[in-house]
Amino acid sequence: MPVGAWFTTDFDVPHPVGDLPAVVTGGQEPTVCVVDQMVRGHEIIGRAVGDPATVGLKVRPAHRPLRVAVSLQLDDAGTRWWGSRVKPDPNQPERPRLVVLSSQGRIRGAAVLARKQGWLRAGGSRETVVFQLAADELGDDDLLLVEMSEPRVDLPEWAADRFSVSSAIGMRIDRIQLDPLPSTVPVPSPAASTGCPFLVLPADGPDTLRVDVSTVPPAPPVPRNPTRSYTSRKPARAVFKVLRTARRAAGRASAEATGDRVRTDDLTVHGVDLASGAAVPVQLAGRGTQTLDLRLPGDRTGPVLLGVTEQGGHRRERTARQLSCRIVAGPA
C-alpha cells in the first residue's frame, strides 16, 4: 500500500501523474506535488530557502531504468538570499557552493558551483547532475524525490572551510528531465570550468582523466540586503553599492598585478568520497604545462570531490587570482 494511503479522506482527489519521458521546468506544474524548504517558481521549479531542500514529482512508472538530469543554477539573487539568512562576515568573499543531490534516500551526485567574477559584477553558475534510477526504485507511490543539501560527511582539511556553509540555500533548480533507458537523448555536457580549485567526478566516471588548471579573478565580498530602516533607504543603498563595487575593482586590480602563472609542479590533487567520507587516493600519472593526468580507483561508492592545493598554502581569496579546474573531454 502506498505511503500516505492511511491519511486520505473523501475530499481528496487523485494527484496528476506525469508521463515519461518528461521535462519539468516550473514549480506550478501539476506533477510537482511535494516541496520542502523550497519556494516554487514559474520559470524555474523552485529556490531553496533551507538546507536540505526537497522537491517531489508524481510520475508514471516506466518499469525500466530512468535517467534523471537535474539542472542547478547559482545567481545573484541566490547569493543575496544566502547572505541574508546565513549572515556571514561582511569581509568574507563569496566562496564556492558544494551541494549533494539525493534521490529515493541515496546520494546520487554532487556539484560545485562558483559564480564567474568580473570588474563590476558576477555572472551566474550552472551545472547539471545526471544519475540513474533502477526500475523498482520509484516504489508504489510513483513519487520521485530530489533532495539538495550540503555534504553529509565531514570534509578533510584540504576542503574544510573553503566552501559556503548551508550551500543549498538560495540555489535554483531550473529543470528536471526524466528519460527511460535506453534513451537517445544526449547527456548534458559538464560546465567548461568550475571557477574554483574543485571539481566533482561521478561515481561511474572514468578511472583516468585529464584536468586543465588555470586561474580566474578573485571573488568579491558577499552582497547582503540591508536589515535596518536607515540602511534600506535609497541614498544608503547607493553608497553601499559604490563601496562594494570599489572593493571589487580594487581586489581585481591587485589580482591582475600579481599575474596568473600556474606551475603544475607545485600542485597536489586530493580526493574524498562524498557518500562515505573516505579518502580517495589520486595518482598523478603525468604533468603538462597546465594539465594534470590523474588515475583513480574504480571501486567508488559515491561522487568524488577532487581538490587542487598548492605548495605554500591557499591563495589570498580577495586579492589573488584563484585556481580553476575543468575536466578535459575523454580520459587521459
Side-chain angles (χ1 to χ4, degrees):
M1 179 181 295
V3 176
W6 306 285
F7 308 109
T8 56
T9 68
D10 293 338
F11 298 97
D12 293 326
V13 295
H15 199 280
V17 180
D19 294 320
L20 299 176
V23 178
V24 181
T25 58
Q28 308 300 324
E29 296 188 19
T31 55
V32 180
C33 60
V34 174
V35 289
D36 183 20
Q37 298 204 95
M38 182 172 291
V39 176
R40 296 174 186 250
H42 291 278
E43 301 297 331
I44 64 174
I45 294 179
R47 190 185 296 274
V49 297
D51 191 339
T54 305
V55 59
L57 308 178
K58 193 76 170 179
V59 297
R60 199 175 308 279
H63 302 295
R64 54 176 171 164
L66 294 179
R67 185 178 70 196
V68 184
V70 183
S71 299
L72 308 175
Q73 183 176 168
L74 174 62
D75 55 5
D76 184 71
T79 304
R80 289 182 177 275
W81 278 38
W82 180 88
S84 298
R85 287 158 176 80
V86 179
K87 294 180 173 57
D89 188 303
N91 295 320
Q92 176 182 316
E94 185 175 341
R95 292 173 179 168
R97 303 288 190 93
L98 173 60
V99 292
V100 173
L101 286 188
S102 303
S103 180
Q104 315 306 101
R106 289 179 49 197
I107 294 177
R108 307 290 179 168
V112 172
L113 296 98
R115 294 203 299 152
K116 299 175 178 62
Q117 309 300 331
W119 284 97
L120 301 179
R121 60 183 61 88
S125 178
R126 296 177 174 85
E127 188 63 64
T128 300
V129 180
V130 182
F131 58 88
Q132 296 184 11
L133 294 177
D136 58 346
E137 288 195 85
L138 284 182
D140 297 331
D141 293 315
D142 306 332
L143 185 64
L144 172 67
L145 293 175
V146 176
E147 180 186 87
M148 179 172 56
S149 67
E150 64 179 354
R152 302 175 181 176
V153 298
D154 294 331
L155 296 179
E157 182 181 0
W158 53 266
D161 301 328
R162 299 180 67 187
F163 293 100
S164 298
V165 297
S166 302
S167 288
I169 294 180
M171 293 277 293
R172 292 170 41 174
I173 298 183
D174 287 349
R175 55 182 280 165
I176 299 177
Q177 182 173 337
L178 309 173
D179 297 298
L181 295 176
S183 175
T184 58
V185 179
V187 178
S189 58
S193 176
T194 62
C196 64
F198 300 96
L199 53 87
V200 173
L201 185 67
D204 57 352
D207 299 337
T208 59
L209 65 152
R210 174 166 293 168
V211 175
D212 180 82
V213 183
S214 59
T215 60
V216 294
V222 178
R224 292 177 58 179
N225 293 321
T227 57
R228 300 182 181 274
S229 59
Y230 61 88
T231 59
S232 62
R233 297 171 184 170
K234 286 186 177 181
R237 293 175 67 97
V239 171
F240 292 151
K241 184 175 182 179
V242 170
L243 292 176
R244 188 169 60 249
T245 302
R247 294 172 66 185
R248 180 196 298 268
R252 177 70 182 269
S254 175
E256 295 294 341
T258 60
D260 59 353
R261 185 178 180 184
V262 178
R263 292 178 55 89
T264 56
D265 293 339
D266 297 336
L267 303 181
T268 304
V269 184
H270 310 268
V272 61
D273 193 314
L274 294 177
S276 64
V280 177
V282 181
Q283 180 182 357
L284 279 173
R287 300 177 187 262
T289 304
Q290 286 189 325
T291 60
L292 299 172
D293 293 340
L294 308 180
R295 182 175 294 111
L296 287 79
D299 55 347
R300 302 184 291 267
T301 61
V304 176
L305 173 67
L306 299 177
V308 178
T309 60
E310 288 184 288
Q311 294 181 6
H314 307 318
R315 300 189 177 199
R316 299 186 305 275
E317 290 182 307
R318 284 184 50 199
T319 58
R321 293 182 67 88
Q322 303 298 306
L323 297 178
S324 176
C325 301
R326 70 182 181 95
I327 299 177
V328 180

